[in-house]
Amino acid sequence: MKRVLMIAYHFPPLSGSSGIQRTLRFVQHLPSLGWQPLVLSASLLAYEKTSGDLLADVPTGTVVRRAFALDTARHLQIGGRYMAWMARPDRWISWKFDAIRQGLKLIGEFKPDAIWSTYPIATAHVIASALHGKTGIPWIADFRDPMAQEGYPTDPKTWKIFQQIEADATERARYCVFTAPGAARDYQHRYPDAADRMVVMENGYDEESFTFAAPPRDADGNQAKGPRPLVMLHSGIVYPSERDPTQFFEALGRLKSAGMLAPDDLRIRFRASVHDDILLKLAQDHGALDFIEVCPAIPYREALAEMMDVDALLVMQADNCNAQIPAKIYEYLRAGKPILGLTDPDGDTAGALHRAGLHDIARLDSADEIARLLPEFVGSCRRGRAALPHWPAVKQASRRERSMALAALLEQASLSRSVAANPN
């Protein structure tokens, strides 16, 4: 069996990030595809929140090494402040030093055939680049989403470092992987010499997790009936810019004033939004407070069960993220419920919905479009006529399918090393 050194900050028992699923499910499926994962992650001290609910999903015997790391914002601040250079490219740059040391020890011990690192913690790519440079082992840089973007990061010096990291990866990595077609196209234009090494590998859902995620049942053991009013769920973080619900709440307030939609008709549940106070304030300002509820985070499989139990699901993605697809959308598709997409019709998020046969889409920044679509969508859900995800498209998004694609990419990367070592 070949081996791959996987450098990932997001790994159990870290909690609060859907990004954990990508690495975790690759680690689960790669052994059956001929690849043994060696995980190099950060020490638990670096994690702000932890939970043991996903630790059982890490296959027994998986090699997991944790390098010393601090969170600059929590561990190195004085009086609530810290020096900006101590958090470039991110707050976990301290991870780099011991991770390179630990990575070299893993390489010496296990002789991996490839290195894989994953963003959005940019330090992971810094570590991988150093290990690749010291050993020559082929490197796959899993960008997921774009790094240096217009206006992000906002700090010019951090933006410059992001640009340097991505330029280094596109020059030295055997492949650069993105989770959305638009992101890959952007980088192909940005780095044309590396265009043939840009690969799209979307996120997905874990079928086994859904198998064990049962919707709630009542005291008699019967599946609980969907509550009324109709419940529409947004599961996960609501970013104040990228998923700004202001126009959504504006539309709700208008519909309520016009008598076209009442809180008795619709309840929007925000689960684990992280920004509950902002949501409640915006909803109150726009007369939509009676429509919403904010709920705390729950364990992963309970979150999946909730997706299967509600009447509809809500995805929000602003047009400044057209080259990104929320990871949660694939779990939404597998849940098999109607999905309301508040996003740019020309963006990759809308594209993912269209490919699954879903077309209930309005722009997130257009209260007019949302106000026109929402009553019709709610009515269709109540009548049982709302569109549901097409199963063939859903099946293609399983983590097993994605892992097969990664295994093929790893084979190509390791083959390139063999050819370089033995040109004849």
Side-chain angles (χ1 to χ4, degrees):
M1 184 176 290
K2 293 184 176 180
R3 299 185 176 99
V4 54
L5 176 59
M6 309 187 77
I7 303 168
Y9 174 87
H10 294 93
F11 200 72
L14 175 66
S15 68
S17 172
S18 60
I20 296 167
Q21 295 298 322
R22 188 167 176 88
T23 304
L24 174 60
R25 303 311 167 186
F26 283 151
V27 167
Q28 276 189 316
H29 292 294
L30 281 175
S32 67
L33 300 169
W35 284 86
Q36 177 188 352
L38 313 166
V39 180
L40 177 58
S41 194
S43 57
L44 302 188
L45 184 64
Y47 295 162
E48 187 170 1
K49 293 175 60 179
T50 60
S51 171
D53 66 304
L54 290 176
L55 283 173
D57 290 358
V58 180
T60 302
T62 300
V63 175
V64 181
R65 297 280 173 84
R66 295 192 173 275
F68 176 79
L70 298 174
D71 177 351
T72 300
R74 290 187 295 122
H75 300 124
L76 301 177
Q77 57 89 12
I78 299 176
R81 305 185 69 176
Y82 55 87
M83 301 297 290
W85 62 266
M86 301 170 69
R88 294 189 183 119
D90 52 56
R91 289 159 36 197
W92 299 274
I93 185 59
S94 58
W95 178 33
K96 164 187 170 181
F97 306 102
D98 191 42
I100 293 173
R101 184 182 69 84
Q102 296 268 18
L104 289 172
K105 287 181 63 177
L106 281 165
I107 290 169
E109 185 176 353
F110 293 98
K111 307 295 189 294
D113 301 273
I115 296 171
W116 177 90
S117 61
T118 187
Y119 180 71
I121 302 304
T123 296
H125 287 341
V126 176
I127 296 164
S129 180
L131 293 174
H132 165 73
K134 291 176 180 292
T135 65
I137 298 172
W139 168 29
I140 295 177
D142 187 45
F143 278 80
R144 305 194 197 187
D145 297 326
M147 289 186 60
Q149 305 172 54
E150 184 177 353
Y152 177 84
T154 55
D155 172 50
K157 292 183 179 179
T158 303
W159 190 94
K160 185 65 175 178
I161 294 174
F162 267 42
Q163 185 184 50
Q164 291 169 351
I165 292 171
E166 69 179 25
D168 175 73
T170 56
E171 179 181 352
R172 305 179 71 189
R174 183 65 186 85
Y175 294 105
C176 296
V177 180
F178 301 88
T179 58
R185 285 194 301 270
D186 288 348
Y187 273 69
Q188 286 169 341
H189 291 307
R190 194 180 304 181
Y191 302 99
D193 291 344
D196 62 341
R197 294 185 281 112
M198 306 291 183
V199 179
V200 177
M201 192 178 298
E202 296 182 23
N203 282 305
Y205 68 89
D206 179 53
E207 180 61 33
E208 184 180 58
S209 294
F210 274 91
T211 301
F212 290 99
R217 296 179 178 273
D218 61 24
D220 297 324
N222 302 311
Q223 186 168 317
K225 295 180 179 179
R228 291 293 178 266
L230 182 140
V231 175
M232 182 161 58
L233 170 70
H234 183 280
S235 186
I237 300 174
V238 178
Y239 297 103
S241 172
E242 295 87 345
R243 297 174 188 170
D244 180 5
T246 299
Q247 297 303 308
F248 179 39
F249 292 161
E250 168 70 20
L252 284 168
R254 286 189 204 173
L255 293 168
K256 179 182 176 183
S257 297
M260 297 177 64
L261 202 63
D264 288 341
D265 301 318
L266 175 66
R267 191 75 172 170
I268 299 106
R269 179 181 302 162
F270 290 94
R271 171 71 66 186
S273 79
V274 177
H275 298 102
D276 291 359
D277 292 344
I278 294 175
L279 289 177
L280 292 170
K281 177 65 164 56
L282 285 172
Q284 183 175 30
D285 290 346
H286 294 281
L289 189 60
D290 293 342
F291 284 100
I292 77 165
E293 61 184 45
V294 295
C295 303
I298 52 179
Y300 178 63
R301 286 192 172 87
E302 290 182 26
L304 298 184
E306 183 176 41
M307 291 178 198
M308 292 188 287
D309 187 54
V310 297
D311 302 294
L313 298 163
L314 171 66
V315 60
M316 301 189 298
Q317 190 82 326
D319 59 9
N320 60 359
C321 294
N322 272 2
Q324 301 176 32
I325 304 173
K328 195 69 68 177
I329 203 170
Y330 303 97
E331 292 161 348
Y332 277 12
L333 294 175
R334 173 57 181 83
K337 296 291 183 176
I339 299 175
L340 176 66
L342 301 185
T343 189
D344 186 342
D346 296 324
D348 283 343
T349 297
L353 294 174
H354 287 316
R355 290 192 294 274
L358 303 172
H359 304 285
D360 292 303
I361 295 171
R363 288 176 173 82
L364 180 60
D365 61 358
S366 175
D368 292 341
E369 288 189 18
I370 298 170
R372 284 195 296 269
L373 176 61
L374 191 54
E376 179 182 342
F377 179 76
V378 171
S380 296
C381 290
R382 286 198 174 280
R383 294 189 298 271
R385 295 180 180 177
L388 301 178
H390 292 169
W391 178 246
V394 174
K395 187 177 179 181
Q396 291 177 356
S398 73
R399 293 285 187 183
R400 173 73 180 179
E401 293 286 331
R402 306 303 194 214
S403 298
M404 291 172 65
L406 177 57
L409 210 60
L410 290 168
E411 289 289 348
Q412 290 296 319
S414 62
L415 180 62
S416 68
R417 186 190 191 193
S418 300
V419 171
N422 302 284
N424 296 322

